[in-house]
Amino acid sequence: MAEYYLPDISRIPTLSCAYVTRVLTQEAFADLYRPEWSNALCEDRKKLDVLGVGAYDGSTLVGLAACSADCDDMWQIGVDVLPEYRRQGIASALTSRLTKEIINRGKVPFYCTAWSNVRSVRNAVKSGFIPAWVEMTAKPANIVDEMNL
């Protein structure tokens, strides 16, 4: 089951992390279609990836939240953080900032997570999102297990 979230406009926090963050446009994504950023960007749908926020440790990208223009008015957020940088608040800092950037562009941000991906659910809630709708599908147990690593 996939859960979809919409932002509660009155409670989108301004969160920070220990790293420099930068807003990225589509042009900056060209070299980022790699496995470590596969939740934030989708190589098969490059033309839909429109905006992102990256966290940098020096010149190294350590976290990326990006959004795809899934329709004219709604942009879906995805986020990735390198394993050695997780549990530092990077994902929520990037997600909340990207949420505000999307709203400032007159679009509706939304966030999706598998119901079993507890870390992603926590990120959504911490970033000011609330559950809005669900989608039911069936997936093999091994895929669900991999999502929870």
Side-chain angles (χ1 to χ4, degrees):
M1 183 169 75
E3 289 184 282
Y4 290 83
Y5 299 79
L6 291 172
D8 178 344
I9 300 299
S10 67
R11 58 181 280 271
I12 302 168
T14 300
L15 301 171
S16 61
C17 64
Y19 303 97
V20 173
T21 60
R22 288 194 288 254
V23 174
L24 304 171
T25 58
Q26 195 173 43
E27 298 78 29
F29 300 151
D31 296 328
L32 299 179
Y33 289 96
R34 300 191 307 256
E36 60 266 38
W37 311 120
S38 63
N39 288 313
L41 299 171
C42 181
E43 188 165 19
D44 293 338
R45 301 175 348 134
K46 284 181 182 181
K47 66 184 182 307
L48 299 180
D49 294 332
V50 293
L51 187 66
V53 178
Y56 292 84
D57 185 358
S59 62
T60 303
L61 181 65
V62 300
L64 175 64
C67 61
S68 58
D70 287 8
C71 66
D72 289 341
D73 297 317
M74 296 180 75
W75 291 0
Q76 180 173 197
I77 296 173
V79 63
D80 289 294
V81 176
L82 296 178
E84 60 271 26
Y85 288 88
R86 292 180 184 160
R87 301 184 56 97
Q88 297 182 45
I90 297 170
S92 55
L94 297 176
T95 303
S96 64
R97 178 154 180 212
L98 182 56
T99 298
K100 290 179 180 184
E101 294 287 340
I102 293 168
I103 292 168
N104 289 342
R105 286 163 174 76
K107 305 299 180 182
V108 176
F110 71 102
Y111 188 98
C112 177
T113 182
W115 68 271
S116 58
N117 190 339
V118 176
R119 290 181 190 119
S120 190
V121 171
R122 286 182 181 153
N123 180 53
V125 172
K126 186 175 180 182
S127 302
F129 285 80
I130 56 174
W133 72 93
V134 298
E135 178 181 71
M136 301 286 290
T137 57
K139 293 185 180 190
N142 64 320
I143 291 176
V144 174
D145 290 343
E146 286 177 24
M147 292 168 52
N148 286 313
L149 292 178

